[in-house]
């Protein structure tokens, strides 16, 4: 095992190269996941706000109709 | 309209892409993770050491796939750039927007692993030879596209400027490819080509091939995921996105 890690004396170079590469790949994979979550939560909040605004408008209109009618 | 043009324009529609691409994402991800796992374990643990370089050569299993992919992604952006300028296709513009930062990161992997490999092999982290310099130029071309898109506030102008840079920058790709043949360089020529027998035994080049396909598949999955997000973001006000959100939540 320690022989495998030593990589014939080049262990530092080999593991550094692989470590950096897989860290970058992991970051590239996480980015779209985070972006998707952010978009979904933002869009849901907007949809709620839209629905609330619609409900308020309907309420006002009904109130107006009651008063006028 | 002919059948081909119908197909072509449907393919350019963000909604069409979004509806179809989920299984692609899953497939690319599964293939990419599996192959990269197999190729990396094989390359690090089971491939024989190089008779000159010993074990440091094992960096090849990430260096060559990332360098290859970095060039291929730029060519793909160049093709997308033509589609943007000629057909004004939104999906192609989104592809450039999503691919540029990913390509920059992949080029970064190629440069860093190359530097780390160069230290024990050439005795220097960096040499200004034709190959390394032209790949550094590739990195800055990616950076340029990312920066252009952010610097120009109007989306259509930013898209067109990025498309032009994507097209013009592709001249650098053959320069990278042939740099080791055209100029004297420390960089070794390709070990595996389509035209000649590999300069390595199968126990060395099979894991390299596996990792190359693995790198392509994994990054393809990242690009599909990024493109799906980009479609949602830019079409957020479209009714089909609102309907999709209803169903998703």
């Amino acid at each position: 095992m320690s022989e495998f890690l030593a990589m014939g004396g080049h262990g530092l170079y080999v593991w550094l190269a692989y470590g950096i590469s897989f860290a970058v790949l992991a970051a590239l994979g996480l980015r779209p996941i985070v972006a998707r979550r952010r978009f979904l939560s933002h869009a849901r909040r907007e949809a709620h706000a839209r629905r609330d605004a619609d409900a308020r408008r309907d309420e006002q209109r009904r109130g107006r109709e009651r008063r006028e009618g | 309209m002919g059948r081909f043009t119908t197909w072509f324009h449907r393919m350019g529609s963000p909604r069409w892409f979004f509806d179809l691409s989920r299984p692609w994402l899953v497939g690319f991800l599964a293939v990419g993770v599996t192959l990269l796992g197999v190729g990396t374990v094989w390359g690090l643990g089971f491939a024989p050491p190089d008779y000159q370089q010993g074990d440091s050569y094992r960096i090849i299993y990430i260096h060559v796939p990332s360098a290859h992919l970095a060039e291929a992604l730029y060519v793909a952006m160049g093709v997308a750039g033509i589609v943007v300028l000629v057909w004004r296709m939104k999906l192609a513009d989104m592809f450039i927007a999503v691919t540029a930062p990913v390509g920059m990161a992949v080029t970064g992997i190629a440069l860093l692993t190359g530097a780390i490999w160069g230290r024990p092999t050439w005795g220097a982290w960096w040499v200004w030879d034709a190959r390394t310099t032209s790949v550094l130029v590739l990195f800055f071309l990616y950076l340029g596209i990312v920066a252009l898109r952010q610097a120009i506030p109007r989306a259509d102008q930013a898209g067109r400027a990025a498309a032009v840079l994507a097209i013009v920058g592709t001249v650098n790709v053959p320069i990278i490819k042939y740099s080791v043949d055209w100029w004297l360089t420390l960089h070794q020529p390709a070990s595996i080509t389509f035209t000649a027998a590999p300069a390595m035994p199968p126990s060395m080049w099979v894991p390299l091939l596996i990792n190359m396909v693995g790198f392509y598949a994994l990054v393809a999955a990242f690009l599909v995921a990024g493109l799906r997000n980009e479609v949602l973001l830019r079409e957020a006000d479209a009714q089909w996105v609102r309907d999709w959100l209803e169903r998703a939540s």
Side-chain angles (χ1 to χ4, degrees):
Chain A
M1 188 64 195
S2 64
E3 198 186 331
F4 172 66
L5 290 178
M7 284 283 159
H10 290 130
L12 175 67
Y13 301 111
V14 173
W15 296 116
L16 189 63
Y18 277 83
I20 292 175
S21 302
F22 283 104
V24 172
L25 284 178
L28 284 181
L30 278 176
R31 242 169 57 110
I33 297 174
V34 173
R36 183 187 165 91
R37 286 223 180 116
R38 198 176 301 150
F39 172 81
L40 284 179
S41 68
H42 179 77
R44 280 197 194 114
R45 239 177 297 133
E46 288 230 310
H48 276 301
R50 227 175 10 247
R51 224 167 297 146
D52 290 351
D54 285 353
R56 254 198 310 279
R57 198 162 357 95
D58 286 351
E59 188 61 37
Q60 278 169 357
R61 198 188 40 209
R62 265 198 299 276
R64 238 188 343 266
E65 279 167 3
R66 262 199 303 276
R67 259 174 279 133
E68 285 163 5
Chain B
M1 238 176 5
R3 192 172 294 169
F4 173 76
T5 40
T6 318
W7 171 81
F8 189 64
H9 281 278
R10 188 168 335 131
M11 214 182 70
S13 128
R15 182 183 179 178
W16 175 91
F17 170 82
F18 191 85
D19 286 342
L20 284 185
S21 58
R22 211 186 132 67
W24 308 348
L25 169 57
V26 176
F28 279 134
L29 195 63
V31 171
V33 169
T34 309
L35 291 186
L36 214 52
V38 170
T40 301
V41 170
W42 189 341
L44 282 174
F46 298 97
D50 185 70
Y51 77 103
Q52 279 181 325
Q53 300 183 15
D55 285 313
S56 67
Y57 98 93
R58 294 184 198 280
I59 296 172
I60 199 175
Y61 297 112
I62 35 176
H63 178 69
V64 166
S66 57
H68 209 269
L69 182 59
E71 293 170 67
L73 287 178
Y74 204 95
V75 174
M77 282 200 318
V79 174
I82 294 173
V83 176
V84 168
L85 293 187
V86 176
W87 291 285
R88 300 278 157 92
M89 209 175 266
K90 272 196 275 184
L91 193 62
D93 177 49
M94 296 182 194
F95 175 82
I96 296 178
V98 170
T99 305
V102 174
M104 194 170 85
V106 173
T107 313
I109 292 179
L111 285 168
L112 285 171
T113 54
I116 295 169
W117 192 4
R119 183 73 192 95
T121 312
W122 301 340
W125 295 102
W126 183 259
V127 283
W128 290 101
D129 82 346
R131 176 56 73 76
T132 55
T133 309
S134 53
V135 174
L136 189 64
V137 169
L138 182 70
F139 182 84
F140 284 119
L141 282 168
Y142 277 121
L143 182 66
I145 290 180
V146 172
L148 256 186
R149 294 198 65 93
Q150 287 178 358
I152 303 176
R154 268 190 54 187
D156 56 330
Q157 288 175 346
R160 246 172 293 151
V164 170
L165 186 53
I167 295 166
V168 173
T170 48
V171 293
N172 187 43
V173 173
I175 296 178
I176 296 174
K177 181 159 170 38
Y178 294 108
S179 57
V180 286
D181 303 325
W182 290 344
W183 291 285
L184 262 177
T185 157
L186 281 171
H187 219 281
Q188 61 206 54
S191 311
I192 302 177
T193 60
F194 286 115
T195 47
M200 315 170 143
S203 54
M204 277 185 174
W205 65 255
V206 172
L208 181 56
L209 208 62
I210 292 174
N211 259 10
M212 284 183 91
V213 180
F215 245 91
Y216 270 80
L218 187 66
V219 170
F222 295 166
L223 291 179
V224 172
L227 206 44
R228 287 173 64 83
N229 286 338
E230 189 76 13
V231 168
L232 285 178
L233 263 176
R234 289 210 215 172
E235 308 272 294
D237 293 329
Q239 192 55 47
W240 72 266
V241 173
R242 291 189 179 172
D243 293 344
W244 177 82
L245 274 169
E246 284 291 317
R247 271 178 282 125
S249 51

